[in-house]
Amino acid sequence: MKALTFMQSHNIWADSVTYSELLKCCISRGALREAKLVHKHIFSNGYHPKTFLINTLISMYVKFSLLDDARKLFDQMPERNVVSWTTMIAAFANAGLGYEGLRFLVLMGRDGVRPNMFTYSSVLRACSGLESLKQIHCGIVKDGLDSDVFVRSALVDNYAKWGELGNALVVFNEMETRDLIVWNSVIGAFAQNSDGDEALNLFKRMKRCGFMADQATLTSVLRACTAMALLELGRQVHVHVLKYNRDLILSNALLDMYCKCGSMEDARFEFSRMVEKDVISWSTMIIGLAQNGFSHEALEIFQVMKSSGTKPNYITVLGVLFACSHAGLVDKGRSYFESMEKVFGIKPGREHYGCMVDLLGRAGKLDEAVELIHNMEPEPDAVTWRTLLGACRIHRNMDLAAYAAKKWEDAAQVRKAMKGNNVRKEPGCSWIEVNKQIHAFILRDNSHPQIDEIIRQLNHYVQRLKGVGYVPDTNFVLQDVEGEQLEDPLLYHSEKLAIVYGLMSLTKGKTIRIRKNLRICGDCHLFAKLLAQMENRNIVIRDPIRYHHFQGGVCSCGDYW
DNA sequence: GTAGATGTGA
């Protein structure tokens, strides 16, 4: 403003370029009041601002989140160019008004203004469905704008957003020039859609093309390792991470990787040396500790978190309740649950109720658990009933089990109907990392090159275990509802094959780490427990829900899962 | 001389 007054006092009139510079200055300093004064000044003295200056004004209001003011200016413009339209479309997309953004694309066409690559990359962010995405894609090709990196990048992101990873990859592969951001985009897309394998392939391709990974790349690669529980590869990525420091997101991803790979020593070390911690860091650690069977430590960390001044959120409280249920701390869990709204301002959601059902059910308070389900505000779903069913199995309450099973089935039906009728049951699959190679064992699939030797060894171990009291247990009717199918021979469940392969190929003393796509069945659990003791080995099995650390004949889950 | 893209916790 001083500049403006100075110019006036010397009788120099500002032109559109000067005004525009002044506005940019206001935006960078966050000075809305001054920007408004400039706005007023522009429209005084009969000055006719050029289109680009009004565009700057619009963008100023957008940056201050004053969409209505921006819209008003836009409506009053004598003529609008591509930039005017694009600025509005981008603003709508950012404000979550995608529909309005798409409407503006049509309107600009009627106004005789042709969209350019800037327009399309904003329109793509406004896009709210696969159908419109395909239409926009056609428009891009028709307008000959599909070679722009930004547009392609937005297309890749969008296809990934709607689960169309194949299309995302096609669009990506067709690109003539790629930059680091597109690489990060496509790697992130696969990592987020739990296709860690493809994410890691792309990462290798990227390096072959001569690109240097940055924090965003490494974060996605870590996420892929995390999903696949690849500890060794994760450690390698960690070495790259050391080249960068103080990126909170990356540190959080690293922390989660160690937790999910079941290596709590590394996780604790990483956590202790993080200079900056946010709610995600704390939650990751709390959940990681709880899932790996260190509930008391998780609750201690929660206390430290509160005194550090970081406010817990929905997910943090979930981790805390999970820790309580895991350690059987009924009173503590109940008091956290009952006070969470008052103390932390977080309304209990379905997942919090689920944790409480788990906690109460596990402690044998089945009546209280049922009462909680009946009175809960969010609608109980299949998972809620499945939790109660698990508790019934532990406490051998057949009547309640039948009731829970019925309700579970009803809820699952609804879910099935929503998803469409072709929900196929996945075959059981386990993975183990040996010498940085992933070995997959799939039920009824004998393609592993050493399968004959593995089965021979497995039979051998089973015979020896029978000598110390192992009885293959086929009676898991209630518990096995989401596990491997009953008619499948228990003996060849994939985790057994993976464990035996681990014993065969990993050096003595090395922990055997296995990841599984389905929940472990009781027989395999017993098998792992006894084998860990007999062979004096640590075995860690991660199923979709929790971790089992087998050591010296016991499991960290306390035989409840 | 105004408008556009990527990564973390259940």
Side-chain angles (χ1 to χ4, degrees):
Chain A
M1 275 326 278
K2 268 188 196 153
L4 206 56
T5 349
F6 177 82
M7 286 170 73
Q8 264 182 320
S9 64
H10 287 76
N11 251 340
I12 306 166
W13 291 101
D15 65 356
S16 288
V17 178
T18 321
Y19 279 127
S20 177
E21 287 301 317
L22 279 169
L23 282 171
K24 274 197 275 180
C25 201
C26 294
I27 293 168
S28 68
R29 284 168 39 222
L32 174 62
R33 220 173 50 88
E34 293 184 10
K36 279 186 172 171
L37 284 172
V38 177
H39 179 179
K40 221 180 201 168
H41 204 273
I42 292 171
F43 285 93
S44 60
N45 308 320
Y47 177 74
H48 289 289
K50 292 192 175 155
T51 305
F52 90 82
L53 178 56
I54 307 184
N55 286 344
T56 314
L57 272 170
I58 293 176
S59 127
M60 180 273 287
Y61 281 115
V62 168
K63 279 179 187 140
F64 284 111
S65 310
L66 297 167
L67 205 51
D68 288 344
D69 295 78
R71 180 70 193 266
K72 215 185 287 169
L73 260 167
F74 178 85
D75 287 340
Q76 288 164 1
M77 285 176 90
E79 58 172 27
R80 305 171 187 93
N81 62 18
V82 210
V83 181
S84 328
W85 287 100
T86 305
T87 311
M88 288 311 294
I89 293 173
F92 288 132
N94 281 344
L97 301 166
Y99 175 77
E100 199 63 0
L102 294 187
R103 202 170 68 89
F104 264 52
L105 177 67
V106 178
L107 290 177
M108 84 182 271
R110 283 192 205 146
D111 211 27
V113 182
R114 291 239 331 218
N116 63 13
M117 53 274 230
F118 286 87
T119 322
Y120 274 119
S121 65
S122 296
V123 166
L124 282 168
R125 283 198 310 134
C127 166
S128 55
L130 193 55
E131 272 314 300
S132 46
L133 171 58
K134 286 186 172 157
Q135 278 172 23
I136 295 166
H137 193 166
C138 286
I140 290 169
V141 174
K142 213 161 57 196
D143 285 327
L145 295 167
D146 56 330
S147 56
D148 184 71
V149 200
F150 278 76
V151 173
R152 283 255 170 195
S153 191
L155 275 172
V156 169
D157 285 339
N158 255 284
Y159 276 118
K161 190 166 114 195
W162 303 109
E164 299 270 313
L165 289 177
N167 275 328
L169 200 54
V170 168
V171 173
F172 175 79
N173 284 333
E174 281 173 353
M175 288 178 84
E176 286 150 22
T177 45
R178 303 188 186 94
D179 62 3
L180 183 59
I181 302 225
V182 196
W183 277 108
N184 286 350
S185 238
V186 75
I187 292 171
F190 280 94
Q192 278 171 54
N193 283 282
S194 48
D195 191 341
D197 222 9
E198 188 58 44
L200 293 174
N201 279 336
L202 284 159
F203 178 54
K204 282 182 215 149
R205 244 177 90 189
M206 175 187 136
K207 284 199 296 189
R208 275 204 303 274
C209 291
F211 282 93
M212 276 284 288
D214 71 355
Q215 283 102 326
T217 328
L218 295 174
T219 303
S220 295
V221 171
L222 277 174
R223 187 170 168 152
C225 295
T226 305
M228 299 167 74
L230 301 175
L231 182 60
E232 294 313 319
L233 192 57
R235 280 193 214 280
Q236 277 190 313
V237 177
H238 190 168
V239 176
H240 289 281
V241 170
L242 296 175
K243 292 185 216 157
Y244 304 92
N245 37 16
R246 303 195 193 288
D247 186 309
L248 185 56
I249 301 181
L250 184 50
S251 302
N252 286 344
L254 193 60
L255 185 63
D256 191 42
M257 185 274 291
Y258 282 125
C259 287
K260 294 290 174 349
C261 289
S263 180
M264 293 317 287
E265 308 81 46
D266 292 298
R268 284 191 195 97
F269 181 71
E270 269 318 299
F271 189 69
S272 71
R273 41 161 283 166
M274 279 173 73
V275 213
E276 194 193 351
K277 297 182 181 96
D278 66 357
V279 65
I280 296 187
S281 331
W282 291 100
S283 310
T284 303
M285 197 59 191
I286 291 169
I287 293 161
L289 285 166
Q291 285 180 324
N292 280 282
F294 302 95
S295 292
H296 290 281
E297 196 181 334
L299 295 177
E300 279 163 28
I301 292 276
F302 181 56
Q303 293 305 329
V304 183
M305 170 186 177
K306 282 192 291 184
S307 50
S308 82
T310 308
K311 263 182 63 181
N313 65 14
Y314 189 95
I315 295 172
T316 324
V317 179
L318 210 53
V320 169
L321 293 178
F322 186 76
C324 292
S325 93
H326 208 279
L329 304 168
V330 180
D331 293 335
K332 211 164 195 170
R334 202 159 23 201
S335 96
Y336 277 128
F337 179 73
E338 280 162 5
S339 65
M340 62 184 274
E341 191 159 4
K342 219 168 42 221
V343 180
F344 310 121
I346 300 156
K347 227 173 136 69
R350 184 183 288 141
E351 289 113 322
H352 296 105
Y353 279 95
C355 271
M356 286 310 289
V357 171
D358 189 49
L359 172 65
L360 296 167
R362 185 180 187 187
K365 300 179 186 301
L366 291 172
D367 294 340
E368 206 180 321
V370 177
E371 201 189 318
L372 190 69
I373 295 184
H374 285 154
N375 293 326
M376 65 193 261
E377 200 190 296
E379 189 75 11
D381 68 355
V383 181
T384 321
W385 293 111
R386 170 67 180 74
T387 310
L388 183 64
L389 187 57
C392 294
R393 176 181 66 89
I394 301 275
H395 296 287
R396 311 225 173 267
N397 185 329
M398 293 310 283
D399 291 342
L400 191 56
Y403 173 74
K406 171 81 176 66
K407 291 284 181 183
W408 173 73
E409 216 160 84
D410 293 348
Q413 282 297 323
V414 174
R415 197 172 49 170
K416 218 171 166 180
M418 285 194 311
K419 272 175 134 181
N421 263 335
N422 41 12
V423 185
R424 233 171 351 122
K425 197 159 183 168
E426 278 183 88
C429 190
S430 298
W431 294 267
I432 183 168
E433 189 187 11
V434 172
N435 295 329
K436 293 178 190 106
Q437 290 284 320
I438 309 151
H439 295 256
F441 294 91
I442 306 164
L443 193 73
R444 275 194 290 261
D445 171 288
N446 292 333
S447 60
H448 193 277
Q450 284 158 274
I451 192 71
D452 294 336
E453 176 62 12
I454 295 168
I455 289 182
R456 212 177 58 78
Q457 291 278 344
L458 173 58
N459 288 324
H460 171 70
Y461 281 122
V462 168
Q463 286 314 315
R464 281 179 59 205
L465 285 175
K466 278 182 179 163
V468 293
Y470 169 62
V471 182
D473 189 348
T474 50
N475 187 23
F476 281 93
V477 185
L478 284 181
Q479 175 249 325
D480 213 29
V481 277
E482 279 184 8
E484 264 136 317
Q485 283 156 15
L486 285 170
E487 67 269 23
D488 298 327
L490 287 166
L491 181 58
Y492 302 119
H493 271 181
S494 56
E495 56 266 55
K496 289 205 185 81
L497 297 174
I499 293 171
V500 170
Y501 184 66
L503 282 170
M504 285 164 54
S505 47
L506 290 172
T507 47
K508 220 164 171 57
K510 210 161 179 193
T511 301
I512 295 175
R513 296 172 193 278
I514 287 161
R515 177 175 68 97
K516 237 221 94 176
N517 65 338
L518 300 175
R519 303 195 67 176
I520 186 169
C521 86
D523 181 61
C524 289
H525 195 266
L526 181 64
F527 175 85
K529 234 172 22 175
L530 296 173
L531 194 59
Q533 184 172 35
M534 191 172 82
E535 293 296 297
N536 194 20
R537 278 278 196 150
N538 288 356
I539 301 175
V540 181
I541 299 182
R542 173 182 141 188
D543 75 16
I545 311 268
R546 65 182 76 198
Y547 295 71
H548 303 267
H549 290 248
F550 300 97
Q551 192 176 6
V554 287
C555 176
S556 63
C557 78
D559 295 342
Y560 178 90
W561 67 92

